[in-house]
RNA sequence: GGCCCCGUGGUGUAGCUGGCCUAACACGCCACCCUGUCAAGGUGGAGAUCGGCGGUUCGAAUCCGCUCGGGGUCGCCA
């Protein structure tokens, strides 16, 4: 292979095939760099050795595919290239065959010739030739292969579950597939194999594993695609400790084999409530401190109406000390910093500077000497700091200031590079109130066990019930989640009741699972980890599109294939469908 | 659905406080020269009317509006 030729091969005859990465034509003597996924090697075409091969080399252009036969030799002294692994040697070509020509490239293939993402996706097959993408694809392969290997060692059985399953209204929007044999009926692509893996537990599988493709018809993001891949696990007769240990083993070993870095295990556990309180996030970036402080008690009776009003309404005031923030201008704080807080629902962002041993800033005049002294003590304020505040409900104030914390971290370089802080966020709330209709909904899914201590609250104060659901978080990215499941009918009934589901409704939605649970379900729990995101993180990429061979754009299209495409009426008729006219193309209505 | 950023030859950029832009530079492409280069070099050449539409103006790549496309993000993602 091109990149694996070494000094040890000196004198050997080799046959190499690859792409022309670069050409340097001296009008007689010609050099071509030949590339395959292993790297580059310099080919020398000397008219005195082989005039025929040299004439081919003169014609060859970037990205032509060549097969050459030649002899490996040391480069003449002084002509070594220390920037290349194969820089000490070269291949003197005796014969050269053009396997394929290439038109002028629509984009460069070198890593430092990065084109606009639209162009990269349109010519994804060229983009994939880039060394970086080759590295990413192969690292992903190693990662997944090791997950399977370790899973096998740990007694897991890989089970394939269907990709055409019943559609359920819960959770994300389904991609639906019309049924030809059952006109008017549809299948859905799974958002996850959740129910099937639980059924496999009932089926005695004991330890289920799947590298599962999942689909969700929601808006795309840097870390979200329509279809993504998860490491899906389910285990019988286990509790959190065993599940955590399995995942720590599988992911740390796969991480090491794919990225060559070791991960310390076990990972710390952080209850959800603490994560929200300390970091203002359920997926905290714990690579740096600068935690939030609840200063509600200090400002309970203060003259600043925004604080006092929020507290009187049952809310809180959160504070963040920004060392060095004294240099922040009013324009910055009231511009982009405020915008960050507002994006996450805060009404505003209050701030103070500590300069020359005193507080400055527009809210200073509303705060008493005593209040400011307490603030100084509580946060350890020193000269040159800026203190940012949000006020409101605990959730909004903390979340917004948590976002400000991340903004500050990037602004002031708090984030240590090359560090990976994995942790478990545990004891997620079981329920949450839907702000739109005020109804109680399951945070994870309705089969999640409540925390054993909180069973009495299921009836009385459902929003305070903690669950046995947990997430893996690393560097502020949510990498996966899981839970222990409910298998006892009477417990399940209590949860459905809290969710406002009648037994009849539950039967309609999940009847097959409830039926299965009448025939001796083993206690079980599991986890699903987002492979795209983990590989993205391990490779230092900022988007999962960099670790997916053929991703979609943010608008959910594929520029390479020009899809999605319109569909012929006959094809629709066959599956019993009629499409609504496109909103823009319908007749204009009354204005 | 909201907010923010971007859109100039095949690619990447400059120009964008309006006229000197009949649009510049690098890479790539074409032709010729060149036997030790490795971001090879030299000479010459082709190639964009500045995403699209509309407006302001004597005059627009440069200002405004709409629109299309790409990216980021909030909502959404049990």
């Amino acid at each position: 292979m091109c990149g694996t030729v070494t000094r040890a091969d000196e004198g050997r005859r080799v046959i190499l095939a690859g792409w022309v990465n670069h050409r340097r034509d001296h009008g007689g003597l010609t050099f071509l760099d030949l590339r395959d996924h292993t790297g580059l090697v310099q080919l020398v075409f000397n008219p005195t050795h082989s005039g025929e091969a040299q004439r081919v080399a003169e014609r060859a252009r970037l990205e032509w595919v060549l097969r050459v036969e030649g002899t490996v030799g040391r480069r003449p002294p002084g002509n070594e290239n220390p920037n290349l692994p194969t820089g000490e040697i070269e291949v003197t070509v005796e014969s050269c065959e053009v396997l394929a020509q290439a038109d002028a490239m629509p984009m460069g293939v070198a890593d430092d010739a990065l084109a606009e993402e639209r162009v990269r996706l349109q010519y994804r097959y060229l983009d994939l030739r880039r060394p970086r993408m080759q590295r990413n694809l192969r690292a992903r392969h190693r990662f997944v292969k090791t997950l399977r290997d370790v899973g096998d060692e740990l007694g897991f059985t890989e089970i394939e579950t269907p990709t055409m399953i019943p559609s359920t209204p819960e959770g994300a929007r389904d991609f639906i597939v019309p049924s030809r044999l059952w006109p008017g009926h549809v299948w859905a692509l799974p958002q996850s194999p959740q129910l099937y893996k639980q059924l496999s537990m009932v089926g005695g599988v004991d330890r289920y594993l799947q590298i599962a493709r999942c689909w969700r018809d929601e808006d795309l993001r840097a870390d979200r695609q329509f279809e993504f891949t998860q490491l899906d696990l389910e285990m019988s007769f286990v509790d959190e400790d065993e599940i955590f240990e399995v995942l720590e083993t599988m992911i740390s070993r796969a991480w090491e084999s794919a990225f060559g870095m070791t991960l310390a295990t076990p990972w710390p556990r952080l209850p959800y409530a603490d994560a929200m309180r300390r970091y203002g996030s359920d997926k905290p970036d714990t690579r740096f401190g600068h935690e939030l402080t609840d200063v509600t008690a200090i400002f309970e009776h203060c003259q600043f109406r925004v604080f006092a009003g929020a507290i009187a309404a049952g809310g809180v005031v959160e504070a963040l000390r920004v060392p060095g923030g004294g240099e922040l201008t009013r324009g910055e704080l009231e511009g982009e910093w405020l915008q960050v807080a507002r994006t996450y629902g805060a009404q505003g962002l209050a701030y103070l500077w500590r300069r020359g041993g005193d507080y400055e800033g527009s809210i200073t005049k509303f705060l008493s000497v005593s209040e400011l002294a307490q603030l100084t003590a509580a946060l350890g304020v020193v000269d040159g700091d800026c203190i940012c505040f949000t006020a409101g409900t605990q959730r909004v104030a903390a979340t917004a200031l948590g976002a400000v914390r991340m903004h500050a971290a990037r602004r002031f370089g708090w984030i240590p590079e090359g560090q990976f802080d994995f942790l478990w966020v545990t004891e997620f709330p079981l329920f949450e109130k839907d702000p739109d209709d005020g109804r109680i909904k399951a945070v994870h899914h309705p089969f999640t066990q409540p925390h054993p201590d909180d069973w009495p609250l299921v009836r009385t104060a459902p929003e305070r019930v903690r669950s046995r659901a947990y997430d893996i978080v690393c560097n502020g990215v949510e990498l996966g989640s899981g839970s222990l499941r409910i298998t006892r009918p009477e417990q399940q009934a209590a949860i459905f009741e809290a969710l406002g589901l009648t037994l009849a409704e539950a039967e309609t939605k999940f009847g097959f699972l409830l039926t299965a649970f009448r025939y001796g379900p083993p206690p079980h729990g599991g986890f699903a980890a987002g492979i795209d995101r983990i590989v993205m993180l391990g490779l230092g990429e900022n988007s999962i599109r960099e670790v997916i061979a053929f991703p979609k754009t943010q608008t959910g299209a594929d520029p390479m294939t020009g899809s999605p495409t319109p569909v012929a009426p006959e094809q629709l008729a066959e599956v019993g469908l009629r499409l609504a006219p496109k909103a823009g193309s319908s007749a204009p209505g009354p204005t």
Side-chain angles (χ1 to χ4, degrees), chain A residues 4-132:
Chain A
T4 59
V5 185
T6 67
R7 269 179 64 179
D9 299 309
E10 197 181 332
R12 278 183 57 189
R13 268 184 84 73
V14 291
I15 296 174
L16 295 172
W19 285 264
V20 174
N21 196 64
H22 207 77
R23 56 190 298 269
R24 294 175 292 281
D25 184 353
H26 288 245
L29 191 66
T30 301
F31 301 96
L32 297 182
D33 291 335
L34 198 66
R35 184 196 70 242
D36 62 21
H37 71 90
T38 63
L40 296 177
V41 67
Q42 171 164 288
L43 308 179
V44 190
F45 296 80
N46 194 321
T48 61
H49 273 74
S50 167
E52 198 178 325
Q54 197 275 331
R55 278 189 295 280
V56 174
E58 261 182 343
R59 282 175 51 229
R61 290 294 179 268
L62 293 185
E63 300 303 317
W64 284 29
V65 185
L66 305 181
R67 172 162 53 216
V68 299
E69 196 166 344
T71 308
V72 179
R74 291 284 292 275
R75 294 192 185 189
N79 283 307
E80 300 86 357
N81 183 350
N83 301 318
L84 220 55
T86 58
E88 284 189 293
I89 52 92
E90 62 191 6
V91 175
T92 304
V93 175
E94 277 112 45
S95 70
C96 175
E97 181 187 356
V98 176
L99 298 178
Q101 302 194 2
D103 288 353
M105 288 287 117
M107 55 177 276
V109 165
D111 276 337
D112 56 5
L114 205 55
E116 191 181 292
E117 191 155 349
R118 160 116 227 322
V119 177
R120 292 181 58 202
L121 290 184
Q122 183 176 351
Y123 299 96
R124 187 58 155 181
Y125 39 85
L126 299 180
D127 194 44
L128 294 179
R129 287 184 194 168
R130 294 169 44 229
R132 179 151 190 146

Side-chain angles (χ1 to χ4, degrees), chain A residues 24 58 119-120 126 250 262-263 339 352 359 486 543:
Chain A
R24 294 175 292 281
E58 261 182 343
V119 177
R120 292 181 58 202
L126 299 180
M250 290 178 77
T262 55
L263 289 179
Q339 192 51 47
L352 293 170
Y359 282 102
I486 295 174
S543 161

Side-chain angles (χ1 to χ4, degrees), chain A residues 35 101 104 163 175 188 224 372 463 478 553:
Chain A
R35 184 196 70 242
Q101 302 194 2
T163 53
F175 276 100
R224 280 165 28 190
L372 290 172
E463 282 170 87
E478 181 198 326
T553 65

Side-chain angles (χ1 to χ4, degrees), chain A residues 158-435:
Chain A
E158 185 159 4
I159 305 282
E160 295 177 75
T161 55
T163 53
M164 292 165 66
I165 70 170
S167 178
T168 56
E170 275 75 29
R173 198 173 295 112
D174 280 331
F175 276 100
I176 58 174
V177 180
S179 164
R180 175 181 58 86
L181 295 176
W182 298 86
H185 294 64
V186 297
W187 299 100
L189 304 180
Q191 298 170 29
S192 87
Q194 182 62 36
L195 299 181
Y196 288 92
K197 69 175 175 176
Q198 290 194 239
L199 290 166
S200 73
M201 293 297 103
V202 183
V205 170
D206 186 70
R207 288 191 163 199
Y208 150 101
L209 175 153
Q210 185 175 195
I211 306 297
R213 184 62 62 88
C214 305
W215 291 265
R216 292 179 190 174
D217 188 3
E218 298 290 349
D219 288 359
L220 291 75
R221 287 281 198 290
D223 62 354
R224 280 165 28 190
Q225 284 274 305
F226 285 151
E227 43 187 313
F228 58 97
T229 307
Q230 61 185 34
L231 164 66
D232 201 40
L233 297 179
E234 196 75 9
M235 302 159 71
S236 293
F237 312 111
V238 293
D239 61 14
E240 285 91 340
D241 291 340
E242 289 161 281
I243 294 173
F244 287 11
E245 195 189 332
V246 162
L247 276 149
E248 285 163 358
T249 302
M250 290 178 77
I251 291 180
S252 62
R253 280 188 49 191
W255 186 275
E256 180 156 10
S257 87
F259 314 130
M261 296 182 278
T262 55
L263 289 179
T265 57
W267 301 332
R269 303 182 187 188
L270 182 67
Y272 168 88
D274 293 346
M276 290 304 292
R277 185 170 53 75
R278 291 169 56 188
Y279 301 101
S281 173
D282 62 357
K283 44 182 196 303
D285 190 332
T286 56
R287 284 175 295 175
F288 60 96
H290 301 289
E291 298 180 10
L292 314 185
T293 307
D294 186 330
V295 292
T296 309
I298 299 175
F299 296 114
E300 204 168 348
H301 304 294
C302 74
Q303 296 300 305
F304 187 41
R305 287 216 192 133
V306 173
F307 288 181
I311 296 168
V316 300
V317 178
E318 296 281 346
L320 173 72
R321 184 171 84 88
V322 182
E327 71 180 55
L328 291 167
T329 64
R330 205 178 136 166
E332 277 180 278
L333 286 162
E334 296 186 4
E336 62 183 82
W337 287 53
L338 171 62
Q339 192 51 47
V340 169
R342 279 211 176 126
T343 298
Y344 287 82
Q347 294 295 309
L349 181 71
Y351 60 88
L352 293 170
W353 292 291
R354 178 78 179 185
R355 291 168 177 157
D358 215 342
Y359 282 102
E360 294 176 16
S362 57
I363 70 166
T364 314
K365 57 179 175 288
F366 299 112
L367 303 176
S368 72
V369 172
S370 152
E371 285 159 356
L372 290 172
Q374 291 179 66
L375 180 71
T376 308
L379 300 192
V381 180
V382 299
D383 240 45
D385 288 353
C386 173
I387 313 299
C388 293
F389 303 90
T390 53
T393 63
Q394 207 269 331
R395 188 188 176 90
V396 168
T399 304
L401 201 60
V404 171
R405 171 179 176 266
M406 292 307 300
H407 188 71
R410 282 184 282 270
R411 169 72 169 72
F412 288 99
W414 295 344
I415 303 173
E417 292 304 317
Q419 187 177 321
F420 296 94
D421 279 14
F422 280 78
L423 70 143
W424 295 99
V425 176
T426 61
E427 297 175 22
F428 270 78
L430 188 65
F431 303 113
E432 66 186 343
K433 194 178 260 182
D434 187 324

